[in-house]
């Protein structure tokens, strides 16, 4: 198991010798290494079991610092950075040569963001390199939203996890870039599209893997629990599974079911608040994945606010029939 603590100096020393640290962000925990050190970046791929064609996000302490690693930030994207950094927004920008090709899997654009977490911002201020950090989970599994989640799956492989508590957003960042004059959303995430559009006007959502093999975070099957994960109307699913005799668990937005044992069900927000639901989603999926049930039954959220990004994750987690 890894050591879990709040020692920024220790995290810095581990990173400086090319090793990896679990870092807190407002979205999910990251598995961080020195983005300018190709060997450190290679060990991130290896530790996560991640295919090398799946590029990584670099984390910097400010927009000013980002300019050391990217060229010509288009005006609309600069406006988004000024408005939403630090925050759950990742921008795809033309990379400078100092970013090794292994970080971007050979692509011309690098994904950059300023995470909104005091410990990680302090760490980033103290080191003189950006941090490459994918979510700190084995490739394809649910992203971690607590240091314990990171420890449970990667603790054997990394020396240190910086403990920043539970993530306050709970969904990965929204990924945005430009194609010609068009603002394109490559991954729905913790920053709502309506907020993006309030600054730059209409954005095109293009978060489908088949048309976008460059971003495997957008693979149709991703963020998935190990048990079958079935999405549908819960009343109908529950009665079907009750009559089949198969042991099931239930993930709902706001309803608890009297006919289901309480330890086998989670309502993400009993008041139906989608921000609260987002914060709790991944931890709830993990808890039910570890329950005694054989399958997990879940319902989609309303397609408003963060509901859209939550539904994106639920659909990618779903078992394809
Ligand atoms: O909230 C987040 O974004 C978290 C925290 C740790 O910052 N990170 C995260 O990283 O979710 P990861 O690696 O799990 O997902 C990043 C996604 C991947 O789907 C990757 O394919 C895409 O970003 N991506 C990264 N660089 C890219 C690039 N140059 N072009 C296109 N897609 C890129
Ligand atoms: Mg990920």
């Amino acid at each position: 198991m890894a050591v879990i603590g709040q020692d920024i100096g220790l995290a810095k020393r581990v990173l400086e010798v090319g090793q990896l640290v679990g870092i807190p962000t407002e979205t999910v925990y990251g598995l961080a290494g020195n983005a300018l050190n190709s060997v450190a970046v290679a060990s991130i791929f290896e530790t996560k079991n991640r295919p090398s064609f799946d590029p990584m996000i670099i984390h910097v302490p400010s927009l000013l610092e980002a300019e050391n690693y990217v060229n010509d930030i288009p005006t609309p994207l600069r406006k988004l950075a000024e408005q939403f950094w630090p925050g759950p927004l990742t921008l795809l920008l033309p990379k400078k040569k100092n970013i090794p090709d292994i970080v971007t899997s050979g692509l011309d654009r690098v994904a950059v963001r300023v995470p909104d977490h005091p410990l990680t911002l302090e760490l980033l201020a103290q080191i003189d390199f950006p941090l490459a950090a994918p979510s700190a989970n084995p490739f394809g599994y649910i992203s971690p939203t607590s240091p314990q989640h990171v420890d449970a799956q990667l603790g054997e492989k990394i020396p240190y996890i910086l403990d920043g508590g539970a993530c306050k957003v709970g969904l990965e960042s929204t990924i945005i870039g430009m194609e010609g004059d068009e603002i394109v959303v490559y991954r729905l995430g913790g920053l709502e599209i309506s907020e993006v559009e309030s600054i730059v006007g209409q954005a095109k959502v293009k978060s489908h893997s088949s048309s976008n093999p460059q971003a495997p975070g957008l693979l149709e099957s991703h963020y998935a629990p190990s048990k079958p994960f079935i999405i549908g109307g819960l009343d109908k699913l529950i009665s079907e599974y009750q009559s089949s005799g198969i042991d099931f668990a239930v993930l709902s937005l706001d309803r608890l079911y009297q006919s289901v044992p309480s330890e086998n069900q989670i309502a993400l927000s009993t008041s139906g608040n989608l921000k609260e639901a987002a914060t709790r989603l991944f931890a709830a999926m993990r808890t039910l994945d570890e329950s005694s049930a054989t399958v997990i039954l879940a319902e989609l959220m309303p397609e408003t606010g963060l509901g859209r990004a939550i539904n994106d994750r639920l659909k990618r987690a779903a078992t394809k029939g």
Side-chain angles (χ1 to χ4, degrees), residues 90-259:
T90 292
L91 295 176
L92 294 185
L93 297 167
K95 83 175 197 71
K96 284 192 172 153
K97 287 208 171 64
N98 54 6
I99 295 296
D101 286 335
I102 185 172
V103 172
T104 60
S105 307
L107 299 171
D108 299 334
R109 292 191 296 186
V110 62
V112 189
R113 84 179 193 100
V114 180
D116 186 14
H117 193 289
L119 278 183
T120 293
L121 283 173
E122 180 57 34
L123 173 64
L124 288 167
Q126 288 191 22
I127 55 183
D128 53 10
F129 46 85
L131 290 176
S135 52
N137 50 284
F139 184 70
Y141 194 67
I142 305 163
S143 295
T145 53
S146 75
Q148 289 71 32
H149 293 164
V150 181
D151 196 33
Q153 290 185 304
L154 300 178
E156 303 286 339
K157 299 181 176 174
I158 59 176
Y160 197 59
I161 301 169
L162 202 50
D163 182 357
C167 299
K168 66 180 189 201
V169 173
L171 290 177
E172 299 84 352
S173 58
T174 301
I175 303 181
I176 293 186
M178 291 190 74
E179 293 179 12
D181 290 338
E182 201 167 45
I183 308 286
V184 180
V185 179
Y186 296 92
R187 178 174 71 183
L188 295 167
L191 179 64
E192 292 176 24
I193 300 309
S194 60
E195 295 206 65
V196 171
E197 292 187 329
S198 73
I199 306 295
V200 294
Q202 212 189 340
K204 180 177 176 183
V205 178
K206 202 177 177 184
S207 70
H208 282 292
S209 58
S210 44
S211 61
N212 188 19
Q214 292 178 349
L218 309 173
L219 284 174
E220 269 189 29
S221 176
H222 213 72
Y223 311 104
S226 33
K227 288 181 182 162
F229 190 82
I230 316 285
I231 294 177
L234 285 177
D235 289 317
K236 183 159 173 277
L237 282 175
I238 289 171
S239 69
E240 276 172 24
Y241 275 82
Q242 259 160 353
S243 47
S244 76
I246 297 170
D247 230 356
F248 60 90
V250 174
L251 181 65
S252 79
L253 171 58
D254 53 2
R255 279 179 62 187
L256 291 168
Y257 294 81
Q258 269 179 357
S259 59

